[in-house]
Amino acid sequence: MAKLRWLGHAAWHIEVDGKSVLIDPFITNNPAAPVKLDELGKVDFVIVTHEHFDHLGDAFEICKRNDALFVALYELKVRAEQDGVKRTMGANIGGTFTADGLRLTFVPAVHTGNPSGVVIHGSDATIYHAGDTALFGDMRLIGQLYRPDVALLPIGSLFTMGPQEAAVAASLVKPKVVIPMHYNTFDAIRQDPKQFERLVRAKAKGVKVVVLNPGESFEYARKGARKG
Ligand code: NI
Ligand code: MN
């Protein structure tokens, strides 16, 4: 069973294989964040897709408080070290590797600021967090190679894919479940997730859309899924 809790924007708290993983933990100054930093509980890993403030967020602080492992592309790992984070692992876009028992792959993203997406290969669920990205054709390869069960896709437009592009992304990745993110945090990225849901239904047959509010969780195990 993997549990994915949306913390607003691109921030996720994921429990997978007994590990507590934060991705892009933009908590402080995130108007959509349902929690404060000291309410996160135990954190084992902090994974950051790129350096933009709305993704790097509180990553260094959370790592320091929890002695958590910071995992990101190499340049960002160096920045974490310079900031005083003790446990870091630098990787790059390419193959699958293991960090403290967690299997991960960094995948391309089309964006500025040294971007990536990340795939978490859990025993119960494979999760693809697309980071900030435009639509690109090689998302099909991410789908073919890693067969994500759950894809977390940005739909805010302006800085990332909008609902139309993200619906096509869902058709390329072909996850079991897609959850929209990176919208409604600020007025500039206001979107209707129901519109995204309609577009996915039309363009990506067989892909289920789960819409969460910040603070809500989705649980997935390969046999079935439920919103909790
Ligand atoms: Ni960005
Ligand atoms: Mn962003």
Side-chain angles (χ1 to χ4, degrees):
M1 173 81 72
K3 183 175 176 185
L4 300 87
R5 185 180 188 210
W6 191 32
L7 302 182
H9 209 56
W12 292 85
H13 195 167
I14 297 175
E15 288 164 45
V16 58
D17 294 357
K19 298 170 189 354
S20 169
V21 182
L22 286 181
I23 304 181
D24 288 357
F26 171 45
I27 310 290
T28 304
N29 299 324
N30 173 358
V35 290
K36 301 240 181 319
L37 269 199
D38 51 16
E39 295 168 340
L40 287 172
K42 178 182 84 93
V43 178
D44 303 310
F45 295 84
V46 177
I47 302 170
V48 178
T49 60
H50 65 297
E51 68 202 18
H52 288 158
F53 77 95
D54 57 320
H55 297 260
L56 186 55
D58 303 288
F60 297 161
E61 177 63 22
I62 294 166
C63 286
K64 289 175 194 171
R65 288 188 189 190
N66 290 274
D67 199 29
L69 182 68
F70 179 87
V71 189
L73 300 193
Y74 179 76
E75 287 77 10
L76 201 47
K77 162 237 159 68
V78 170
R79 230 176 106 184
E81 277 175 342
Q82 287 166 348
D83 197 82
V85 175
K86 291 279 184 299
R87 301 181 58 239
T88 63
M89 182 159 183
N92 219 312
I93 293 166
T96 299
F97 61 95
T98 303
D100 272 4
L102 192 65
R103 303 260 301 151
L104 300 172
T105 313
F106 281 109
V107 295
V110 175
H111 191 65
T112 59
N114 212 10
S116 66
V118 66
V119 178
I120 300 178
H121 306 267
S123 53
D124 273 339
T126 299
I127 300 160
Y128 167 44
H129 184 298
D132 276 358
T133 188
L135 175 65
F136 57 96
D138 282 353
M139 284 179 173
R140 189 190 301 276
L141 280 178
I142 295 170
Q144 283 173 1
L145 275 170
Y146 308 124
R147 308 209 166 276
D149 298 293
V150 182
L152 311 174
L153 300 181
I155 67 160
S157 200
L158 188 61
F159 304 115
T160 65
M161 298 187 286
Q164 270 207 308
E165 294 82 9
V168 175
S171 78
L172 297 179
V173 177
K174 292 191 175 70
K176 304 273 189 311
V177 171
V178 61
I179 309 179
M181 64 173 181
H182 211 279
Y183 69 99
N184 291 358
T185 326
F186 311 106
D187 282 340
I189 52 172
R190 209 47 66 207
Q191 295 294 341
D192 177 5
K194 293 284 167 202
Q195 187 209 355
F196 173 64
E197 198 170 357
R198 284 192 292 274
L199 288 164
V200 169
R201 213 176 293 137
K203 293 181 190 194
K205 298 261 183 291
V207 178
K208 184 185 167 192
V209 176
V210 171
V211 174
L212 297 179
N213 294 307
E216 287 186 326
S217 299
F218 172 74
E219 291 180 0
Y220 187 92
R222 262 193 198 105
K223 284 177 202 127
R226 69 187 171 88
K227 184 174 167 181

